[in-house]
Amino acid sequence: MDVRDVAYVPEVPHVAYVPVHQQTILASEYFQSYSVVGLLALVGVLFVAVAFGAGRLLRPVVPTPEKLLTYECGVDPVGEGWAHTQVRYYVYAFLYVIFAVDSIFLFPWATVFAAPGYGATTLVEMFIFLGFLAVGLLYAWKKGVLAWA
């Protein structure tokens, strides 16, 4: 066996050198896994295409004036298309998103806080983060946004 017939393959555990003919076997196994994924994606696309095509061929097409009207939850569209919505609903939704994001940050923080050596640093970081949230909530309260009147 010549030095040119072997190559270093770090993916194979506990074996430093693999013969060149085994490299082609490893490569073919690697691409075979991708061919399975590609075949599955192709089958999925074909399934969707056949379903949409069958739906288009089998459905009845009878356009009437009633079917061509705009449909809004069973109510005939009357008047302008613009509707006034109070801004406080958006503010409540925005506040919900802020506190949902806060809870998303609290769970990983709790796991890091429990790790040895990170206690004081993560505690200070979380109080800074909660301080920013408190300032935002205080601002919304001072502006009267949280009053439901």
Side-chain angles (χ1 to χ4, degrees), residues 84-149:
H84 297 285
T85 305
Q86 295 184 9
V87 72
R88 70 174 161 223
Y89 297 120
Y90 296 109
V91 172
Y92 279 111
F94 187 65
L95 288 173
Y96 170 76
V97 168
I98 288 173
F99 286 103
V101 169
D102 177 35
S103 66
I104 289 171
F105 282 124
L106 281 174
F107 291 116
W109 171 79
T111 59
V112 171
F113 182 69
Y118 291 103
T121 305
T122 55
L123 187 64
V124 169
E125 289 174 353
M126 186 49 65
F127 276 119
I128 290 172
F129 179 68
L130 291 174
F132 280 120
L133 288 176
V135 167
L137 187 62
L138 182 65
Y139 176 76
W141 180 64
K142 287 281 191 181
K143 286 289 190 177
V145 174
L146 300 178
W148 188 258

Side-chain angles (χ1 to χ4, degrees), residues 39-102:
L39 183 64
L40 186 62
L42 181 66
V43 168
V45 168
L46 284 175
F47 180 74
V48 171
V50 167
F52 275 108
R56 187 175 191 127
L57 291 174
L58 297 174
R59 72 175 180 224
V61 180
V62 184
T64 61
E66 291 82 17
K67 289 183 181 179
L68 298 176
L69 284 176
T70 304
Y71 182 76
E72 294 182 12
C73 300
V75 179
D76 290 332
V78 178
E80 296 181 23
W82 292 98
H84 297 285
T85 305
Q86 295 184 9
V87 72
R88 70 174 161 223
Y89 297 120
Y90 296 109
V91 172
Y92 279 111
F94 187 65
L95 288 173
Y96 170 76
V97 168
I98 288 173
F99 286 103
V101 169
D102 177 35

